[in-house]
Amino acid sequence: MSVLPCQTRPELFFAEHSRALTEAQRLCAGCPLREACLAGALERGEAYGVWGGQILMAGEVVPFKRGRGRPRKDERQPGAA
């Protein structure tokens, strides 16, 4: 693989919208450097973006990026106002 997926469309890997991040994760799926990419990002303390097929938010791996604004009622914790 001479050109890595993140080199062809780098804007996807730091996008605001979850649809673009999902596309970035899909592109990562076949990358041979995926594990090393994620390990390097965690070691460097990368705060945001898709690294090694995982989404990082505030330096932590998260399953998905929630949209901006107030969370939907069904996403709130029990007992939260």
Side-chain angles (χ1 to χ4, degrees), residues 4 35 38 44 68 72 81:
L4 300 175
E35 289 179 25
L38 178 59
R44 289 188 306 276
R68 295 166 77 176
R72 293 174 26 179

Side-chain angles (χ1 to χ4, degrees), residues 18-67:
S18 60
R19 186 176 295 158
L21 296 176
T22 301
E23 175 67 12
Q25 287 180 299
R26 188 188 67 73
L27 291 172
C28 282
C31 182
L33 300 178
R34 209 169 103 179
E35 289 179 25
C37 177
L38 178 59
L42 293 172
E43 186 177 305
R44 289 188 306 276
E46 295 289 350
Y48 299 97
V50 174
W51 299 90
Q54 300 294 320
I55 298 173
L56 294 182
M57 293 291 299
E60 299 288 326
V61 174
V62 296
F64 61 91
K65 181 178 178 183
R66 193 177 68 74

